[in-house]
Amino acid sequence: MRDHFELRDADAMGRIGSLSVPRAGVTVETPALLPVVNPNIQTIDPSRLESEFGAEILITNSYIVRKTEDLRERALSEGLHAMLGFDGAIMTDSGSFQLAEYGEIDVTTEEILAFQREIGSDVATPVDVPTPPDVSREQAEEE
């Protein structure tokens, strides 16, 4: 990833730069706001996020796409960019939020990363276990 980020300026912990996303063939100026697109309920069409609001990158949930049969089939056959109608970079979440909300998900890190690759995600994320702040140190280390 270091080869893909050009740092132009920094102040405290903030960084201004550009992130080259080779798979999408785009460069995203940072800091960047990533609109979240629910693949089941698109309040604003992703193409509008790009054309009207200047979004260069967005995030969607690969776990929801994988679990929803029609979305899964479309993403596998068309690719994620065509399915969402977005030419910029697309980051996919692994489903860890569902793990925090519902207590379990039925996918491994290896499976979700392979799926994210198959559907054309530009920036993939592994399954991580969100640990609540009030658990014991032992539980946090185990998770």
Side-chain angles (χ1 to χ4, degrees), residues 3-65:
D3 296 340
H4 299 286
F5 184 74
E6 177 188 338
L7 178 65
R8 288 196 304 271
D9 200 4
D11 183 14
M13 295 301 287
R15 297 174 295 178
I16 296 173
S18 56
L19 175 65
S20 171
V21 186
R23 188 165 181 166
V26 299
T27 298
V28 177
E29 295 302 312
T30 67
L33 180 64
L34 280 75
V36 177
V37 173
N38 180 330
N40 284 310
I41 306 165
Q42 293 184 17
T43 307
I44 299 176
D45 190 83
S47 64
R48 284 187 59 210
L49 293 171
E50 188 171 17
S51 65
E52 294 178 34
F53 302 99
E56 299 174 304
I57 185 169
L58 59 78
I59 187 168
T60 194
N61 191 303
S62 63
Y63 183 74
I64 290 172
V65 173

Side-chain angles (χ1 to χ4, degrees), residues 98-124:
Q98 282 74 17
L99 180 61
E101 282 295 301
Y102 307 115
E104 62 182 39
I105 56 174
D106 60 350
V107 67
T108 65
T109 290
E110 292 80 13
E111 291 168 335
I112 203 66
L113 288 175
F115 180 71
Q116 290 175 76
R117 182 160 188 76
E118 287 176 59
I119 63 175
S121 173
D122 300 307
V123 181

